[in-house]
Amino acid sequence: MKANTVVFTSADGRVQEFPLALLLEKGAVIASHVNGEGIAGVMGAANQLWIPDLPAKYFVRDIVKIDFEQRDEEPAIAPFVDDGTDYTNLPNIGADQVHAHPFGEPVTFRGWAHDFGKRIVAIEFTLDSGQTWTRCPTDGATSERWVRWEFTWDPPQPGDYRLQVRSVNEDQRKSPLSAAVCFAVA
């Protein structure tokens, strides 16, 4: 049997079908580790299917079953229509959660950033709802690898805080959606 369709089933029962030729053409990958680190703690999934140049709605998380099938007709993938909406959320950014933190000790934030095919040149942070951003370059980043970032901050006083973080790619495009971490300093 010669397969032309790949069917992915997620742990939550979601099923997504793709033409095998499309996955090969786009260089799709199933990732469980990025830069040697498991993505389960970073992205909340044991693994993910990533397909470059397709909107994130086609990504599949927590894959528990993969079937290869021969069908008379390959599944149709809706073409991407540029209606001005950015469905790709690139460059992308994520942040690990921070829990209650004792006052007088610095808080360290960690996370990841990527932009399939483009280099992440900086990570930007704000603790004042975007009024000011602190830019940290990502020296040595390449377009093929995800960036793991780390940022340490000394809280000026106890209280509730919200960190927002975004990534910047080599074209100076910033993440359309920032990642946010809410935490208390007591």
Side-chain angles (χ1 to χ4, degrees), residues 83-153:
D83 62 358
T85 305
D86 182 5
Y87 294 105
T88 57
N89 192 32
L90 293 176
N92 205 340
I93 188 83
D96 297 345
Q97 291 301 312
V98 173
H99 303 286
H101 198 81
F103 180 66
E105 294 181 19
V107 181
T108 299
F109 306 96
R110 293 179 181 87
W112 52 267
H114 70 86
D115 189 344
F116 299 109
K118 295 200 182 284
R119 188 170 54 91
I120 299 296
V121 297
I123 305 296
E124 295 182 339
F125 307 90
T126 183
L127 285 147
D128 59 12
S129 299
Q131 292 178 26
T132 59
W133 291 86
T134 299
R135 187 175 189 140
C136 299
T138 55
D139 299 329
T142 68
S143 62
E144 299 85 29
R145 295 182 59 139
W146 286 42
V147 170
R148 285 290 290 167
W149 57 265
E150 185 172 297
F151 174 70
T152 301
W153 174 70

Side-chain angles (χ1 to χ4, degrees), residues 63-98:
I63 301 165
V64 295
K65 184 179 177 188
I66 304 171
D67 291 310
F68 293 86
E69 301 176 357
Q70 174 61 40
R71 296 189 177 173
D72 293 335
E73 226 175 281
E74 294 179 356
I77 299 295
F80 179 71
V81 177
D82 188 0
D83 62 358
T85 305
D86 182 5
Y87 294 105
T88 57
N89 192 32
L90 293 176
N92 205 340
I93 188 83
D96 297 345
Q97 291 301 312
V98 173

Side-chain angles (χ1 to χ4, degrees), residues 38-60:
I39 65 172
V42 177
M43 303 182 72
N47 58 54
Q48 289 191 2
L49 169 70
W50 299 328
I51 309 169
D53 301 324
L54 283 186
K57 72 178 184 176
Y58 291 115
F59 288 19
V60 181

